[in-house]
Amino acid sequence: MKKSLLLLALLLTAAVTVSAQKVYSADHEYQAKVKVFVVDHEYQADLLVYKESHDYQATGNEGKWFFVDKDYQADVTIYFVDHDYQADLKIFFVKHEYQAGWKNKSKKHLMYGNK
């Protein structure tokens, strides 16, 4: 019984950790978990990102991001680089929520929480 409760607690904790996409944009590269480059065209992207207007809308690891003001509020800290070859992840901002999602799922692990 104790093992089952412990396992359940760990699974719930993991689910909470990986579900949110509250993102903080760091001022310096060394502060970030993921280096991100914004591409010019959708076909160049690993991830299509939709910027949510409220934090509760930014759920799952499917490209629905809410940018927070403080690093301690974030699930993932990113840094925007100047060149595509510097990036861990290439993104394209889309205009509609339904367009968000992974084009290169092998990079999905990058956006799981860093806290």
Side-chain angles (χ1 to χ4, degrees):
M1 181 71 174
K2 285 184 181 182
K3 287 183 182 180
S4 296
L5 289 175
L6 180 60
L7 181 60
L8 180 61
L10 288 172
L11 289 173
L12 289 173
T13 301
V16 169
T17 301
V18 299
S19 66
Q21 290 291 283
K22 294 177 194 157
V23 178
Y24 176 73
S25 177
D27 294 327
H28 304 284
E29 185 177 338
Y30 68 85
Q31 297 170 312
K33 176 188 176 199
V34 182
K35 293 179 279 186
V36 175
F37 180 74
V38 180
V39 296
D40 295 326
H41 305 284
E42 184 177 324
Y43 70 87
Q44 299 169 309
D46 299 314
L47 176 63
L48 303 178
V49 174
Y50 179 76
K51 288 192 267 184
E52 294 287 2
S53 54
H54 302 286
D55 63 348
Y56 64 84
Q57 296 169 311
T59 59
N61 186 357
E62 295 302 324
K64 297 174 186 174
W65 290 5
F66 178 76
F67 285 89
V68 295
D69 296 327
K70 304 291 183 188
D71 62 347
Y72 64 83
Q73 298 170 317
D75 298 300
V76 178
T77 302
I78 65 170
Y79 177 75
F80 288 101
V81 295
D82 295 327
H83 305 283
D84 62 347
Y85 63 83
Q86 298 171 307
D88 302 314
L89 182 66
K90 296 175 188 174
I91 67 168
F92 181 80
F93 287 105
V94 294
K95 294 181 181 180
H96 305 284
E97 186 175 11
Y98 70 86
Q99 296 172 298
W102 287 96
K103 297 189 73 170
N104 182 353
K105 292 189 180 199
S106 70
K107 302 233 178 165
K108 195 169 185 174
H109 70 278
L110 293 171
M111 291 307 296
Y112 286 123
N114 62 344
K115 297 197 168 142

